[in-house]
Amino acid sequence: MSIVTNLKLITATKNVSSSPVVQRRNKLLAKVQEQLDMCEAKRNQQPYAPKRLKTVVNKETGERTTVETIKRVKEWFWITEDGKINLAVKYGAKTLPLNKKGANAIELMNGTALIGTLHKLKEAVIAGEFDDAISEVSDATRKAFKK
């Protein structure tokens, strides 16, 4: 017991659920990281194929098995006719407004700028700069289901 007595012991409780704002922020943060990983893989000329677990039911036996499949990731960026890259920030299937004037994309010159911008977006999400836009899009989606 001498090892345990040398440790700093406290009484703590784990939060079972976090606030909806934090959950949405974490969801967007994970998606920005996914886009960043995809861009890094493209820059290094490597395939990007994230895996996910999927439960499949055998139609003949009814047995449920878990298989690993490749997750489909849609790119948030596209190349315009003049060779510039446009980047839109998505939350689910919706594009987030980036300012009050209705801008919905960021114009970039090359792939290096794209990766740098994704790093900046990641910091902005952590700082909570997208919380209002996320809640606006989330509320609009929720209202669409209540028709």
Side-chain angles (χ1 to χ4, degrees):
M1 285 302 251
S2 63
I3 295 174
V4 175
T5 57
N6 293 334
L7 300 175
K8 180 180 178 182
L9 303 176
I10 62 169
T11 303
T13 58
K14 183 178 178 182
N15 290 340
V16 177
S17 64
S18 56
S19 70
V21 173
V22 173
Q23 289 175 350
R24 292 175 186 152
R25 189 183 301 162
N26 290 338
K27 178 181 174 183
L28 181 60
L29 186 62
K31 295 299 180 180
V32 170
Q33 183 62 47
E34 204 170 66
Q35 293 294 313
L36 191 56
D37 293 342
M38 181 172 42
C39 290
E40 292 282 350
K42 280 189 174 195
R43 181 171 69 177
N44 298 331
Q45 298 176 349
Q46 297 174 345
Y48 179 70
K51 306 281 189 211
R52 73 179 192 112
L53 295 176
K54 182 179 181 182
T55 303
V56 180
V57 178
N58 187 339
K59 292 182 181 178
E60 297 173 4
T61 63
E63 181 182 351
R64 296 174 68 136
T65 57
T66 303
V67 294
E68 192 174 77
T69 60
I70 295 174
K71 182 179 176 183
R72 189 179 91 188
V73 179
K74 292 184 180 181
E75 296 176 345
W76 288 358
F77 54 91
W78 64 94
I79 299 174
T80 61
E81 293 175 359
D82 57 351
K84 295 183 180 177
I85 298 172
N86 287 350
L87 171 66
V89 180
K90 302 272 190 166
Y91 184 77
K94 304 286 185 185
T95 302
L96 291 179
L98 299 175
N99 64 8
K100 299 293 181 191
K101 296 178 184 176
N104 62 355
I106 303 166
E107 185 178 72
L108 305 162
M109 298 305 288
N110 55 30
T112 306
L114 175 63
I115 292 173
T117 302
L118 284 170
H119 281 291
K120 290 177 185 175
L121 286 175
K122 188 175 172 183
E123 292 172 11
V125 171
I126 292 170
E129 293 180 26
F130 286 99
D131 289 349
D132 293 337
I134 293 171
S135 61
E136 181 182 314
V137 168
S138 182
D139 291 342
T141 302
R142 194 174 299 113
K143 285 179 184 176
F145 281 105
K146 291 183 180 179
K147 285 185 178 179

